[in-house]
Amino acid sequence: MAHFLSQVPTFLPILMQGVYLTVLVTLGAFVLATALGLVWAFMRVSGIAPLAWTARTIIVIVRGIPGIVTLFYIYFVLPDLGLSLSAVQAAIIGLGIAYSPYMAEVFRAGIEAIDRGQTEAALSIGMGWGLLMRRVILPQAIRVALPPYGSTMVMLLKDSSLASTITVAELSLQGKLLASSTFENTTIFTLVALLYLAMSLPLTAFNSWLERRMRQAR
Amino acid sequence: MSIIELRNIRKSFGAVEVIHDVSFAVEKGEVVCIIGPSGSGKSTLLRCINGLETYQGGEIAVHGERVSTGSSSIRQVRTRVAMVFQRFNLFPHRTALENVAEGPIFVKKEPREEVLARSRDLLTRVGLGAKIDAYPAQLSGGQQQRVAIARALGMKPDAILFDEPTSALDPELVGEVLAVMRSLADEGMTMVVVTHEMGFAREVADRVLFLDGGILVEQGPPGELLSRPKNPRTQDFLRRILPS
């Protein structure tokens, strides 16, 4: 333990560089996955068959391919087609796409959990699709979607380590590099684990706080 | 001109036709009650009038404007013909006041302060002046349905459609909702009411329609239709539901 503590000041600053990239990739991918997920979910519930079918196909395909392969594809294959991205850009876009089906299903489940009578009441006072979604369905759907949305957030944080496979020196890769040059495996990987935990706990806490707030507003 | 006019309406779910060639019109200020056994197509017919259901044949017109779910004019129609549902369908995330003000503010784009003042008046009128800030979950069924009626009135409709407005209520709460509906009728509101409340139909309706198996079997003033029905199917139905 004393050994561990004495080494923390040496290793922590180097690992913090990895934390920075982990946070960057996670947040970027999270925003993108949420935006894409909303688009897929809206397409699926739009009632317009070609849109719904397209979204369903995208979801099935993307969800059926491992995130790591999506990352390889974007980082190694797209340059052959003339589109070169930096490793961090590729990681954000790849994870954002890979996670969008899960987000889409979280949102869709939330939207579809709302009683059909809500839609009818909204239509009966003359609302169109936009108002129906914005004023009636989404405010209620968010409450239903929030818990699974939170877990997806934590999963994405952990899976940001996949970015290491395309040379992004985020926390796990930084730890691995550091460990292989110092052989202080125990200290370094314990630190890495603690740092991941330190990032996921606030996410979880934030989510429970949001859930509580939503319940009160009811 | 009639406010609502149905001509030869046919409606099918898949291959099954559930409404067969129904025609009737509702004049301004008229209260029309539609009665009939469960599954006779009463609610479906009512829901066709404001486009919550599509119909396959015939034509429905509101103020001469054709009701068609595919066209953009359907939203116009819906702001003029309000609907009260069996299960209230209040917005649970909004207070009673917000439920009433939602349509006028966001759909009809009326000035907010004016709408809020009017909505308070409407809630007072249905006896809920003390509950304007309550959420639907904090209200009884009867109170919720009265908020729903205020919500319908908030749209300043030309007519209100009631889809079995008291069927989901505990018996002791039915009276307060019927009382509000009765006062609306007295003030000249045009109403089409699908109901199992024969007492209400008898006392408030100008005309009663008996629907059975998707067919408009018989219609007439309540005194005639409910007391001296001509058609055997009407006689049979009334015999079964009215205490002799």
Side-chain angles (χ1 to χ4, degrees):
Chain A
M1 191 65 186
H3 179 69
F4 176 79
L5 287 177
S6 71
Q7 286 184 319
V8 167
T10 321
F11 295 139
L12 196 58
I14 302 169
L15 290 176
M16 284 311 281
Q17 294 167 13
V19 167
Y20 165 72
L21 282 175
T22 292
V23 169
L24 184 68
V25 168
T26 303
L27 283 183
F30 188 67
V31 170
L32 182 63
T34 301
L36 286 176
L38 274 175
V39 172
W40 310 149
F42 280 143
M43 284 166 76
R44 281 205 68 170
V45 302
S46 65
I48 302 165
L51 286 185
W53 186 86
T54 307
R56 205 161 43 229
T57 310
I58 291 172
I59 288 172
V60 168
I61 291 175
V62 176
R63 197 170 46 188
I65 297 173
I68 196 168
V69 177
T70 308
L71 287 181
F72 287 165
Y73 214 86
I74 287 173
Y75 191 58
F76 297 118
V77 179
L78 285 191
D80 289 349
L81 305 172
L83 183 63
S84 291
L85 297 166
S86 76
V88 172
Q89 287 170 339
I92 289 175
I93 293 172
L95 284 171
I97 291 174
Y99 262 74
S100 65
Y102 304 106
M103 294 296 192
E105 294 297 77
V106 164
F107 297 139
R108 186 176 66 94
I111 290 169
E112 290 183 347
I114 307 307
D115 185 69
R116 168 93 195 132
Q118 291 291 304
T119 301
E120 295 189 345
L123 293 179
S124 79
I125 56 172
M127 284 192 178
W129 197 83
L131 267 186
L132 162 71
M133 280 295 153
R134 187 161 63 81
R135 297 286 309 167
V136 178
I137 303 294
L138 289 183
Q140 300 183 62
I142 283 172
R143 275 169 211 174
V144 182
L146 213 50
Y149 187 63
S151 334
T152 312
M153 211 146 74
V154 174
M155 272 164 55
L156 180 53
L157 168 70
K158 295 185 295 179
D159 277 357
S160 67
S161 56
L162 287 178
S164 64
T165 60
I166 55 167
T167 75
V168 177
E170 45 65 69
L171 182 53
S172 69
L173 180 57
Q174 196 77 340
K176 194 173 144 225
L177 293 174
L178 198 56
S180 56
S181 60
T182 61
F183 301 107
E184 292 289 352
N185 290 325
T186 312
T187 309
I188 288 166
F189 288 122
T190 307
L191 263 178
V192 167
L194 288 173
L195 284 170
Y196 271 113
L197 202 57
M199 287 185 280
S200 70
L201 288 181
L203 271 184
T204 311
F206 174 66
N207 211 60
S208 347
W209 175 80
L210 260 185
E211 278 176 46
R212 261 200 314 280
R213 244 187 73 112
M214 291 275 179
R215 251 200 307 275
Q216 276 164 6
R218 189 162 181 131
Chain B
M1 190 172 69
S2 311
I3 287 193
I4 297 167
E5 196 169 357
L6 290 81
R7 279 190 297 271
N8 310 108
I9 296 306
R10 291 180 181 281
K11 156 85 189 166
S12 314
F13 288 114
V16 186
E17 188 169 281
V18 293
I19 292 176
H20 314 285
D21 197 17
V22 170
S23 301
F24 69 92
V26 181
E27 305 300 322
K28 186 169 169 40
E30 202 180 12
V31 177
V32 173
C33 282
I34 305 178
I35 61 170
S38 304
S40 58
K42 312 180 293 286
S43 291
T44 306
L45 190 62
L46 194 76
R47 291 157 56 84
C48 285
I49 297 176
N50 73 346
L52 287 180
E53 298 278 0
T54 55
Y55 52 94
Q56 278 72 41
E59 187 167 85
I60 299 177
V62 169
H63 273 305
E65 173 104 48
R66 189 175 193 279
V67 177
S68 149
T69 47
S71 88
S72 56
S73 65
I74 187 66
R75 280 161 64 186
Q76 271 300 321
V77 169
R78 284 171 178 154
T79 60
R80 303 171 84 171
V81 179
M83 177 116 179
V84 173
F85 298 90
Q86 181 175 0
R87 291 182 50 245
F88 334 131
N89 297 353
L90 293 179
F91 305 129
H93 56 306
R94 308 211 182 279
T95 62
L97 184 67
E98 290 166 342
N99 264 280
V100 179
E102 182 75 20
I105 292 178
F106 290 94
V107 177
K108 296 176 86 179
K109 311 254 185 260
E110 293 174 31
R112 190 182 181 84
E113 287 312 312
E114 206 178 295
V115 171
L116 290 177
R118 189 173 85 224
S119 303
R120 275 187 210 101
D121 290 347
L122 286 171
L123 284 168
T124 306
R125 179 172 159 192
V126 298
L128 293 171
K131 298 280 186 186
I132 57 173
D133 293 322
Y135 284 92
Q138 299 164 322
L139 299 172
S140 73
Q143 290 171 329
Q144 290 190 52
Q145 193 61 299
R146 285 185 281 151
V147 174
I149 293 173
R151 176 170 70 180
L153 290 171
M155 297 300 288
K156 296 188 191 155
D158 299 326
I160 303 183
L161 311 174
F162 291 85
D163 186 8
E164 303 199 27
T166 57
S167 299
L169 296 176
D170 290 337
E172 76 269 23
L173 302 176
V174 168
E176 63 192 60
V177 171
L178 290 181
V180 169
M181 292 171 61
R182 194 180 299 247
S183 79
L184 287 183
D186 290 344
E187 287 162 33
M189 176 57 76
T190 310
M191 297 162 54
V192 183
V193 187
V194 169
T195 188
H196 293 290
E197 294 292 332
M198 293 304 142
F200 178 83
R202 186 185 298 276
E203 289 161 36
V204 182
D206 297 304
R207 192 149 47 102
V208 178
L209 273 53
F210 173 66
L211 211 63
D212 188 12
I215 295 168
L216 179 51
V217 175
E218 188 172 356
Q219 59 173 309
E224 265 173 43
L225 188 129
L226 297 178
S227 307
R228 295 180 299 281
K230 298 189 189 75
N231 192 291
R233 282 159 84 173
T234 320
Q235 292 165 358
D236 183 51
F237 172 72
L238 290 173
R239 204 168 24 246
R240 272 183 286 124
I241 64 158
L242 289 179
S244 45

